[in-house]
Amino acid sequence: MAATVKYDEVEVGQEIPAADYPVRRINLVMYAGASGDFNQIHWNERFAKTVGLPDVIAHGMFTMAQAGRFVTDWAGDPGAVVDYGVRFSSMVVVPDDDEGTVITVSGVVEEKLEDKRVVVALTAKCADSRVLSKARALVQLS
Amino acid sequence: MTVTTDSTLHERLMTLAERQIAAGEVFGAAAADPVNLPMIRHWTDAMGDANPVYTDPEAAAASAHGGIVAPPAMIQVWTMPGVNRKAGQTPTPVDDVLATLNEGGYTGVVATNCEQTYHRYIRPGERLVPATRFAGLAGPKRTALGEGYFVTWNVTWYSGDEAVAEMLFRVLKFRPRKKKDPAGEEGPQAGAGEGTPQAGAGERAPYPLRPAVNGDTAFFWEGVAQGELRIQRCGGCGELRHPPGPMCPSCRSTDRGYAVASGEGEVYSYVVHHNPPVPGRQTPFVVAVVQLPEGVRIVGNVVDCAPSEVGIGMRVRVTYRQMDDELTLPMWAPREA
């Protein structure tokens, strides 16, 4: 795991290097089972298209959780996410091939607050589209 | 007819939404199982998240958490109803609204917002109880996916009497657009929008972009609605001009009328638009400057042929495309040689 990030060593404007998270259909099938969200738009191409979607799309919560995990990987122990909000601005379309697609997440420390808390602004992109917007995580550091 | 049905549905939805908001916080069934390591492992496997505080008892014990904690983003997972257990599930105040939207044809769904607050991390053994509050219904709105309603609700998860996490969730329930297959365009990137619209198609979602119609341009759009390509003509010197404006650039007269163009033209210049996505349109599409024999140039889409077939000097003829129940746009199609 990443080394512990200390509040005193963090600066506003500090960038957190981008990380790539590949997504293939199998990840969505695994996530469906693990999350209990079996909506067919996340695994059934035929169904997804009949409800007006271009193809199978990733669960919004999958994308949100990957970006949240980007923060916890950065913060390390004992960092903890306190508040976390996103807007799902584009869909993560996952084609039925061996490559799937990739969600790229990056972040910047936007604010330092009291009680050793910081606000991290996150950017998540997939296929040149911003898939999360207004993504902010309030993180408790040590 | 359609309007009557829609306004009735809209009223029904709004009445239902008010009732659900008034119902306040409605407790659901407790999680089928307490927070547990096997489910955490399934979830972290799916995410590819190797953080040991979620799955490795020793490493977790040595961490600031002092033991295994569940990933915060799993909060919703613990009380998901699953597929087969759904029937017996305690209804939430959101169910009826979603069902009414489905009945009304708003069958599509995408999540648009999620905000979660974790008051503390939760641990294996805790059995959560969800409570849902219906927060709001907004619509109908035109979106890139089609006409739809935004539905918002809040969930609070309790462990015993303690609220451990909260969530705001918003989805867009939309009416899927009718799929069209325009001739000569394969549209490999199906995108969220619809293809080049075909004239005369039946019921459809409103086209998301509208022309600016004002005192100077109304005659043009009235002409389009009647299948006429009208070009503004100065009432003083008789010069044609396009786009329409309030004053003649040649003689400064504000007296103005129009002429009806023959509807023929030649591509003067063009671009093939690939990106960014445009609401209601399928990329790629062609935007051309068309030179009219009457002497003016006009901007419009070239349709009914592949973008690769479009070239400067190409002979085109105006065609009128009904974008939705109200709007028709003039476009340009190849002229038969």
Side-chain angles (χ1 to χ4, degrees):
Chain A
M1 273 296 94
T4 297
V5 173
K6 291 207 172 355
Y7 177 82
D8 292 337
E9 294 163 5
V10 171
E11 287 172 19
V12 170
Q14 181 179 332
E15 293 187 3
I16 308 170
D20 283 346
Y21 302 100
V23 194
R24 290 182 297 143
R25 287 281 176 90
I26 189 164
N27 297 101
L28 301 188
V29 172
M30 290 167 77
Y31 187 82
S35 70
D37 183 344
F38 295 98
N39 192 319
Q40 296 191 64
I41 61 175
H42 303 307
W43 52 271
N44 183 335
E45 189 168 323
R46 176 177 49 81
F47 182 85
K49 288 183 172 169
T50 61
V51 295
L53 298 172
D55 199 341
V56 162
I57 62 170
H59 303 71
M61 300 305 287
F62 177 90
T63 306
M64 183 179 178
Q66 281 299 18
R69 171 263 188 108
F70 172 82
V71 176
T72 49
D73 276 358
W74 167 73
D77 179 48
V81 180
V82 180
D83 261 299
Y84 179 30
V86 303
R87 275 186 56 194
F88 302 106
S89 44
S90 301
M91 298 176 281
V92 174
V93 178
V94 183
D96 181 21
D97 58 29
D98 294 337
E99 278 79 45
T101 190
V102 175
I103 301 170
T104 303
V105 184
S106 58
V108 60
V109 177
E110 195 174 67
E111 256 185 290
K112 287 183 80 170
L113 306 173
E114 293 176 358
D115 299 329
K116 298 192 175 182
R117 291 178 172 195
V118 297
V119 176
V120 177
L122 294 161
T123 302
K125 290 189 171 180
C126 178
D128 294 332
S129 289
R130 194 180 262 252
V131 291
L132 298 179
S133 64
K134 297 186 178 168
R136 299 271 183 291
L138 176 62
V139 189
Q140 177 74 60
L141 297 178
S142 60
Chain B
M1 180 88 175
T2 313
V3 174
T4 317
T5 315
D6 276 5
S7 61
T8 310
L9 174 70
H10 180 75
E11 279 167 30
R12 231 172 75 212
L13 281 165
M14 288 302 157
T15 309
L16 180 59
E18 273 173 38
R19 201 163 65 223
Q20 303 298 47
I21 290 169
E25 188 172 58
V26 178
F27 277 83
D33 296 295
V35 173
N36 63 85
L37 188 55
M39 282 311 294
I40 293 175
R41 207 187 301 283
H42 278 299
W43 194 91
T44 53
D45 276 353
M47 300 302 300
D49 189 342
N51 194 329
V53 300
Y54 303 141
T55 50
D56 179 341
E58 279 181 32
S63 78
H65 296 291
I68 283 180
V69 289
M74 266 189 93
I75 188 68
Q76 195 183 14
V77 170
W78 304 110
T79 53
M80 285 295 277
V83 178
N84 292 327
R85 276 174 287 137
K86 228 166 206 166
Q89 190 76 13
T90 322
T92 78
V94 185
D95 298 345
D96 285 350
V97 176
L98 296 183
T100 308
L101 283 164
N102 281 335
E103 286 164 22
Y106 296 90
T107 51
V109 63
V110 285
T112 62
N113 298 67
C114 180
E115 290 165 25
Q116 299 189 329
T117 303
Y118 316 112
H119 298 304
R120 65 169 172 81
Y121 279 25
I122 54 171
R123 295 168 187 278
E126 295 191 75
R127 192 164 177 213
L128 302 184
V129 178
T132 305
R133 270 184 301 121
F134 189 85
L137 178 68
K141 307 218 171 181
R142 286 175 187 162
T143 77
L145 287 168
E147 184 192 274
Y149 282 84
F150 289 93
V151 189
T152 309
W153 64 92
N154 295 92
V155 182
T156 305
W157 284 275
Y158 292 88
S159 178
D161 292 335
E162 181 192 3
V164 289
E166 288 167 46
M167 173 174 76
L168 173 149
F169 205 73
R170 182 172 298 140
V171 298
L172 168 67
K173 289 287 290 171
F174 62 96
R175 272 188 175 149
R177 292 173 185 278
K178 302 241 179 341
K179 280 277 180 262
K180 302 187 182 72
D181 43 351
E185 281 187 46
E186 291 301 317
Q189 292 288 326
E194 73 185 296
T196 306
Q198 300 294 291
E203 187 185 333
R204 64 183 84 208
Y207 182 67
L209 306 174
R210 317 304 288 187
V213 180
N214 58 37
D216 292 326
T217 63
F219 78 94
F220 178 85
W221 294 107
E222 286 160 12
V224 166
Q226 296 170 33
E228 276 183 10
L229 191 64
R230 295 178 180 173
I231 305 298
Q232 193 172 46
R233 179 165 55 195
C234 175
C237 68
E239 186 170 288
L240 294 175
R241 59 181 192 260
H242 187 88
M247 186 190 280
C248 176
S250 292
C251 73
R252 302 187 184 176
S253 167
T254 54
D255 183 15
R256 53 206 197 265
Y258 65 83
V260 177
S262 65
E264 306 210 329
E266 268 185 25
V267 173
Y268 177 79
S269 183
Y270 72 102
V271 294
V272 181
H273 184 104
H274 293 272
N275 262 310
V278 175
R281 298 302 301 270
Q282 184 178 344
T283 55
F285 57 84
V286 175
V287 183
V289 178
V290 176
Q291 172 77 48
L292 306 191
E294 288 82 2
V296 299
R297 293 176 189 149
I298 182 167
V299 176
N301 296 121
V302 177
V303 294
D304 291 347
C305 68
S308 59
E309 290 169 23
V310 176
I312 288 171
M314 179 187 194
R315 286 148 54 85
V316 290
R317 161 161 275 287
V318 73
T319 173
Y320 298 95
R321 293 298 156 96
Q322 204 181 334
M323 308 306 286
D324 56 29
D325 292 342
E326 288 167 10
L327 178 66
T328 301
L329 292 180
M331 295 188 181
W332 300 88
R335 228 188 304 172
E336 297 306 322

